[in-house]
Amino acid sequence: MLKVVQGHEIWVLPEGSHGHEGHETRCRIFYGHAMRPDGLADPARLAAWVLLPGGAKLSLKVEAGDDRFHLVAFTPDRDGFWPVTVENDVGPVAVTADGFYRRGTRKDYPGAREVGYYYQYAKTYVQVGHFCAACGPVVQPPEITSLAHDLELILTPGAYRVGDEVILEVLYRGRPLPGTEVKATWSLREEDDWGLSAKTDDAGRVKFILSNPGHWLFYTRVADETLGREGEYDKKVYSATLSLFGVR
């Protein structure tokens, strides 16, 4: 879990292309780098929820999957896109004077090179029901697009295809974040690192072309020294991921 300092993150992905009204729908929670699983996140530090129609949050139990992922499940009661969020409260991590990563505050490691408090968000949209991609967009209530995370990647949910252009907006504490890096990759990419990278414009937006088939993952990260606490940690480090299932 201490690999968060180097850039490990969580992401969440539906188990299938779509779910069905009245039937259990499951999502997998992964931990690793650039869509390559590397161990498991600590389930004691994970919290998951789905946004219900009307804006209420339904807490989801995080359960064991296999040695690559955890699971969450819910039963939707209508068609549409259902946003699922997973939060990972990693807590304070110190980089000691000799370069080791240790869980703890500056009180525990007064000579540390740096101490950050790490908090991660992962988001996906579960499609419930069958949609015709050529029949026009599915109308969704605006509250499912932005979920009021401290750091969030905003993308209108939809049935995306290879070659589509997507416009993402980065919000930090509710405001657009210009000049921040957003990375992207896809599940069928052979290389291990991120495949694409771009910076947000003055409005906090960035464009990508979905150039390849597969699941897509977008990632951004912010370190905010203004949120440090004296004697505890120097900064808060937020990361956010957003996944798209099965672009084809």
PDB file of all heavy atoms in Angstrom, residues 197-212:
ATOM      1  N   SER A 197      -0.888  11.336 -22.216  1.00  0.00           N
ATOM      2  CA  SER A 197      -0.838  12.347 -21.168  1.00  0.00           C
ATOM      3  C   SER A 197      -1.120  13.709 -21.784  1.00  0.00           C
ATOM      4  O   SER A 197      -0.667  14.004 -22.894  1.00  0.00           O
ATOM      5  CB  SER A 197       0.536  12.352 -20.489  1.00  0.00           C
ATOM      6  OG  SER A 197       0.624  13.389 -19.534  1.00  0.00           O
ATOM      7  N   ALA A 198      -1.883  14.535 -21.079  1.00  0.00           N
ATOM      8  CA  ALA A 198      -2.174  15.893 -21.537  1.00  0.00           C
ATOM      9  C   ALA A 198      -2.502  16.747 -20.327  1.00  0.00           C
ATOM     10  O   ALA A 198      -2.883  16.229 -19.268  1.00  0.00           O
ATOM     11  CB  ALA A 198      -3.339  15.894 -22.526  1.00  0.00           C
ATOM     12  N   LYS A 199      -2.356  18.064 -20.476  1.00  0.00           N
ATOM     13  CA  LYS A 199      -2.660  18.985 -19.386  1.00  0.00           C
ATOM     14  C   LYS A 199      -3.975  19.707 -19.646  1.00  0.00           C
ATOM     15  O   LYS A 199      -4.325  20.005 -20.790  1.00  0.00           O
ATOM     16  CB  LYS A 199      -1.527  19.999 -19.205  1.00  0.00           C
ATOM     17  CG  LYS A 199      -0.277  19.392 -18.578  1.00  0.00           C
ATOM     18  CD  LYS A 199       0.706  20.459 -18.141  1.00  0.00           C
ATOM     19  CE  LYS A 199       1.878  19.831 -17.399  1.00  0.00           C
ATOM     20  NZ  LYS A 199       2.835  20.866 -16.908  1.00  0.00           N
ATOM     21  N   THR A 200      -4.677  19.987 -18.562  1.00  0.00           N
ATOM     22  CA  THR A 200      -5.955  20.682 -18.679  1.00  0.00           C
ATOM     23  C   THR A 200      -5.748  22.128 -19.121  1.00  0.00           C
ATOM     24  O   THR A 200      -4.722  22.748 -18.831  1.00  0.00           O
ATOM     25  CB  THR A 200      -6.706  20.664 -17.342  1.00  0.00           C
ATOM     26  OG1 THR A 200      -5.872  21.226 -16.319  1.00  0.00           O
ATOM     27  CG2 THR A 200      -7.093  19.250 -16.953  1.00  0.00           C
ATOM     28  N   ASP A 201      -6.756  22.664 -19.818  1.00  0.00           N
ATOM     29  CA  ASP A 201      -6.693  24.048 -20.274  1.00  0.00           C
ATOM     30  C   ASP A 201      -7.136  24.988 -19.151  1.00  0.00           C
ATOM     31  O   ASP A 201      -7.295  24.575 -17.992  1.00  0.00           O
ATOM     32  CB  ASP A 201      -7.535  24.232 -21.538  1.00  0.00           C
ATOM     33  CG  ASP A 201      -9.021  23.925 -21.322  1.00  0.00           C
ATOM     34  OD1 ASP A 201      -9.473  23.876 -20.157  1.00  0.00           O
ATOM     35  OD2 ASP A 201      -9.736  23.734 -22.323  1.00  0.00           O
ATOM     36  N   ASP A 202      -7.346  26.252 -19.484  1.00  0.00           N
ATOM     37  CA  ASP A 202      -7.704  27.243 -18.468  1.00  0.00           C
ATOM     38  C   ASP A 202      -9.045  26.949 -17.805  1.00  0.00           C
ATOM     39  O   ASP A 202      -9.317  27.432 -16.704  1.00  0.00           O
ATOM     40  CB  ASP A 202      -7.741  28.644 -19.089  1.00  0.00           C
ATOM     41  CG  ASP A 202      -6.360  29.141 -19.475  1.00  0.00           C
ATOM     42  OD1 ASP A 202      -5.369  28.576 -18.969  1.00  0.00           O
ATOM     43  OD2 ASP A 202      -6.266  30.087 -20.289  1.00  0.00           O
ATOM     44  N   ALA A 203      -9.885  26.161 -18.479  1.00  0.00           N
ATOM     45  CA  ALA A 203     -11.188  25.796 -17.917  1.00  0.00           C
ATOM     46  C   ALA A 203     -11.145  24.455 -17.192  1.00  0.00           C
ATOM     47  O   ALA A 203     -12.186  23.933 -16.779  1.00  0.00           O
ATOM     48  CB  ALA A 203     -12.242  25.752 -19.022  1.00  0.00           C
ATOM     49  N   GLY A 204      -9.935  23.883 -17.048  1.00  0.00           N
ATOM     50  CA  GLY A 204      -9.798  22.605 -16.357  1.00  0.00           C
ATOM     51  C   GLY A 204     -10.196  21.415 -17.204  1.00  0.00           C
ATOM     52  O   GLY A 204     -10.454  20.337 -16.665  1.00  0.00           O
ATOM     53  N   ARG A 205     -10.220  21.580 -18.538  1.00  0.00           N
ATOM     54  CA  ARG A 205     -10.666  20.509 -19.424  1.00  0.00           C
ATOM     55  C   ARG A 205      -9.522  19.977 -20.275  1.00  0.00           C
ATOM     56  O   ARG A 205      -8.563  20.690 -20.576  1.00  0.00           O
ATOM     57  CB  ARG A 205     -11.796  21.008 -20.326  1.00  0.00           C
ATOM     58  CG  ARG A 205     -13.066  21.344 -19.550  1.00  0.00           C
ATOM     59  CD  ARG A 205     -14.116  21.966 -20.431  1.00  0.00           C
ATOM     60  NE  ARG A 205     -15.326  22.270 -19.673  1.00  0.00           N
ATOM     61  CZ  ARG A 205     -16.294  23.056 -20.096  1.00  0.00           C
ATOM     62  NH1 ARG A 205     -16.203  23.631 -21.283  1.00  0.00           N
ATOM     63  NH2 ARG A 205     -17.357  23.280 -19.338  1.00  0.00           N
ATOM     64  N   VAL A 206      -9.667  18.722 -20.676  1.00  0.00           N
ATOM     65  CA  VAL A 206      -8.652  18.074 -21.498  1.00  0.00           C
ATOM     66  C   VAL A 206      -9.349  17.090 -22.432  1.00  0.00           C
ATOM     67  O   VAL A 206     -10.386  16.522 -22.084  1.00  0.00           O
ATOM     68  CB  VAL A 206      -7.609  17.355 -20.604  1.00  0.00           C
ATOM     69  CG1 VAL A 206      -8.241  16.220 -19.811  1.00  0.00           C
ATOM     70  CG2 VAL A 206      -6.430  16.861 -21.412  1.00  0.00           C
ATOM     71  N   LYS A 207      -8.788  16.923 -23.639  1.00  0.00           N
ATOM     72  CA  LYS A 207      -9.392  16.048 -24.641  1.00  0.00           C
ATOM     73  C   LYS A 207      -8.503  14.838 -24.900  1.00  0.00           C
ATOM     74  O   LYS A 207      -7.282  14.944 -24.924  1.00  0.00           O
ATOM     75  CB  LYS A 207      -9.601  16.806 -25.956  1.00  0.00           C
ATOM     76  CG  LYS A 207     -10.560  17.975 -25.879  1.00  0.00           C
ATOM     77  CD  LYS A 207     -10.679  18.671 -27.229  1.00  0.00           C
ATOM     78  CE  LYS A 207     -11.612  19.873 -27.155  1.00  0.00           C
ATOM     79  NZ  LYS A 207     -11.715  20.570 -28.469  1.00  0.00           N
ATOM     80  N   PHE A 208      -9.148  13.701 -25.104  1.00  0.00           N
ATOM     81  CA  PHE A 208      -8.462  12.487 -25.539  1.00  0.00           C
ATOM     82  C   PHE A 208      -9.285  11.835 -26.650  1.00  0.00           C
ATOM     83  O   PHE A 208     -10.512  11.940 -26.664  1.00  0.00           O
ATOM     84  CB  PHE A 208      -8.309  11.485 -24.390  1.00  0.00           C
ATOM     85  CG  PHE A 208      -7.314  11.889 -23.338  1.00  0.00           C
ATOM     86  CD1 PHE A 208      -7.748  12.495 -22.163  1.00  0.00           C
ATOM     87  CD2 PHE A 208      -5.963  11.665 -23.511  1.00  0.00           C
ATOM     88  CE1 PHE A 208      -6.853  12.865 -21.184  1.00  0.00           C
ATOM     89  CE2 PHE A 208      -5.049  12.037 -22.537  1.00  0.00           C
ATOM     90  CZ  PHE A 208      -5.490  12.637 -21.370  1.00  0.00           C
ATOM     91  N   ILE A 209      -8.602  11.145 -27.550  1.00  0.00           N
ATOM     92  CA  ILE A 209      -9.254  10.307 -28.551  1.00  0.00           C
ATOM     93  C   ILE A 209      -9.162   8.859 -28.077  1.00  0.00           C
ATOM     94  O   ILE A 209      -8.072   8.377 -27.734  1.00  0.00           O
ATOM     95  CB  ILE A 209      -8.587  10.443 -29.935  1.00  0.00           C
ATOM     96  CG1 ILE A 209      -8.647  11.894 -30.423  1.00  0.00           C
ATOM     97  CG2 ILE A 209      -9.267   9.512 -30.939  1.00  0.00           C
ATOM     98  CD1 ILE A 209     -10.047  12.400 -30.692  1.00  0.00           C
ATOM     99  N   LEU A 210     -10.295   8.179 -28.034  1.00  0.00           N
ATOM    100  CA  LEU A 210     -10.304   6.760 -27.661  1.00  0.00           C
ATOM    101  C   LEU A 210      -9.821   5.957 -28.867  1.00  0.00           C
ATOM    102  O   LEU A 210     -10.599   5.429 -29.650  1.00  0.00           O
ATOM    103  CB  LEU A 210     -11.708   6.340 -27.231  1.00  0.00           C
ATOM    104  CG  LEU A 210     -12.299   7.126 -26.054  1.00  0.00           C
ATOM    105  CD1 LEU A 210     -13.721   6.653 -25.757  1.00  0.00           C
ATOM    106  CD2 LEU A 210     -11.425   6.998 -24.811  1.00  0.00           C
ATOM    107  N   SER A 211      -8.518   5.880 -28.997  1.00  0.00           N
ATOM    108  CA  SER A 211      -7.891   5.389 -30.223  1.00  0.00           C
ATOM    109  C   SER A 211      -7.804   3.876 -30.311  1.00  0.00           C
ATOM    110  O   SER A 211      -7.492   3.340 -31.381  1.00  0.00           O
ATOM    111  CB  SER A 211      -6.477   5.973 -30.336  1.00  0.00           C
ATOM    112  OG  SER A 211      -5.737   5.703 -29.149  1.00  0.00           O
ATOM    113  N   ASN A 212      -8.059   3.183 -29.203  1.00  0.00           N
ATOM    114  CA  ASN A 212      -7.887   1.737 -29.184  1.00  0.00           C
ATOM    115  C   ASN A 212      -9.047   1.068 -28.446  1.00  0.00           C
ATOM    116  O   ASN A 212      -9.642   1.663 -27.543  1.00  0.00           O
ATOM    117  CB  ASN A 212      -6.573   1.367 -28.487  1.00  0.00           C
ATOM    118  CG  ASN A 212      -5.359   1.758 -29.295  1.00  0.00           C
ATOM    119  OD1 ASN A 212      -4.889   1.019 -30.148  1.00  0.00           O
ATOM    120  ND2 ASN A 212      -4.840   2.959 -29.034  1.00  0.00           N
TER     121      ASN A 212
END
